[in-house]
Amino acid sequence: MEGNFFLQKMSARQMALVNLLDQVQVTVESSMELMESQAQTTDGDLSATRLATRRLRVASSLTMNDVTFAGSYMDPSSCTLWVRYTIRRDTAENLVALKQAKALHQMTYDEEAATPAQKLRWIIDALARLNDVDFSVLPKDAGNRNHFISVFTARKAELEQRVNPGMVWMLSAPEPLRSTLAPRISSLAEAHGAVFVGAPCREANDCLGQAREYAGDRLLLIKAASRMRSGTLGMLQGTLRLGCTRFDVGTGAPVATHTAEGNVFGFHDKVLDWANLAETLLDDEGMSPVLK
C-alpha cells in the first residue's frame, strides 16, 4: 500500500470480511442449489425459480454490522497486517434465513414480469423460511417475528385474491416426456381458464398440497406414460396414455376420472409428435366432464 497504513488496514479488514462471508456462504449454498434442482419446471417457471435462487444468494451476504471485530496484529518483520472477524454459526445461519425471507417478500413487488402464481409461491416460501429463523440468537435490530409474519401474511392474502385460479393443472410424467408435453399442456390449461403449475409432482397428496399453495379449489392431475415399438418398414409406433383425474382440493377426494390412449408414428423417435397427440387425447369427449 506504499506505506499508507490507513489503506492497508481497510484492505485487510475487507479481505478478512470477504473470507468470513465466503465460509458462511458455503453453509447455505447447497440448500440454494437444492431449491433450484427440486424446482425443475418449464417455461417461465424455470426462469423465475432461477431468478429467485440468484436473488436469494445475493440476500445471503452479511455486512459489517453482522460480524464482530476480534482484533488485529501487525507483523513488524514483514509489515503484514492480520485482521480477524468472527460470527457465531447459528447467528450467521439465522441471519441468512431472515434475509432470504425478506428478499422473497420483496421480489413479489419488484419482479413485474412474474405471474401472480409465481409471486404467491415466493411469499409462501418466505413464510416457510421465516419459520426457520430463531430470533433469540439474532441482534435486537434484526426485527420482530410477529411483525414479519403479519406483513408476509397480508401480502399472501393479497396475492391469493389475484390468483384465484379455480382449476389447477399438474402433469406427472417421466423426463423427457414431461418436457415435451408441458408447454402444450400449459397452453391448453390457459385456454380452459386454469393455471398450469410447472413444478413436477408424482403422488396425488403431493400434487394436492401444491394446488392448495396456488389457492386452487380443483386439481386436474394428468399422468402421462409412453412406449415405442418398431413397425413395418422401419417406422416407429409411439403409444401415449393419459390418465386424468379431477380432485376436490378441499377434501382431497377424486371427483371424476378418464383415461385416453392414442398412437403417433414416425421414422425417428425425435420426430414423434407427442405434444399434438396429447392435445388430441385431452380433446376426447370423455375428457369433458373431467376438465370442467
Side-chain angles (χ1 to χ4, degrees), residues 29 32-59 104 107 111 114 118 121-122 125 179:
E29 191 74 19
M32 294 297 96
E33 293 175 352
L34 180 62
M35 171 188 167
E36 185 168 317
S37 67
Q38 288 181 336
Q40 292 297 316
T41 57
T42 59
D43 300 338
D45 283 344
L46 178 57
S47 61
T49 300
R50 288 176 174 167
L51 174 63
T53 308
R54 191 160 55 247
R55 294 293 172 84
L56 289 177
R57 286 179 178 143
V58 172
L104 282 165
M107 283 172 59
E111 303 303 326
Q118 290 166 348
R121 185 60 181 264
W122 288 340
D125 287 344
S179 299

Side-chain angles (χ1 to χ4, degrees), residues 162-222:
R162 295 185 188 179
V163 174
N164 191 25
M167 175 79 88
V168 171
W169 287 25
M170 301 193 75
L171 172 63
S172 174
E175 293 289 352
L177 180 61
R178 173 185 168 75
S179 299
T180 302
L181 299 183
R184 184 71 62 88
I185 291 179
S186 177
S187 298
L188 289 171
E190 184 177 350
H192 282 79
V195 170
F196 176 71
V197 178
C201 73
R202 294 183 180 178
E203 300 302 325
N205 286 339
D206 177 37
C207 303
L208 284 164
Q210 294 190 50
R212 293 186 184 101
E213 291 181 1
Y214 282 83
D217 56 19
R218 289 162 292 153
L219 166 66
L220 176 69
L221 177 57
I222 305 172

Side-chain angles (χ1 to χ4, degrees), residues 50-156:
R50 288 176 174 167
L51 174 63
T53 308
R54 191 160 55 247
R55 294 293 172 84
L56 289 177
R57 286 179 178 143
V58 172
S60 299
S61 299
L62 304 179
T63 67
M64 293 288 289
N65 295 329
D66 301 324
V67 299
T68 300
F69 176 65
S72 61
Y73 168 72
M74 171 66 79
D75 185 343
S77 62
S78 62
C79 288
T80 300
L81 178 63
W82 296 92
V83 173
R84 186 182 185 207
Y85 284 105
T86 63
I87 186 170
R88 287 177 45 175
R89 180 176 293 274
D90 57 351
T91 300
E93 291 175 346
N94 281 281
L95 277 170
V96 167
L98 177 58
K99 290 188 176 187
Q100 290 168 352
K102 292 164 67 176
L104 282 165
H105 170 256
Q106 190 59 42
M107 283 172 59
T108 67
Y109 292 98
D110 294 344
E111 303 303 326
E112 297 180 358
T115 66
Q118 290 166 348
K119 292 181 179 181
L120 180 59
R121 185 60 181 264
W122 288 340
I123 197 63
I124 290 171
D125 287 344
L127 282 163
R129 202 73 180 102
L130 184 64
N131 191 53
D132 294 335
V133 179
D134 181 1
F135 280 81
S136 67
V137 301
L138 298 183
K140 292 183 178 179
D141 60 1
N144 179 276
R145 176 190 295 277
N146 292 336
H147 168 72
F148 287 119
I149 290 177
S150 176
V151 172
F152 290 7
T153 302
R155 181 58 172 164
K156 178 175 176 285

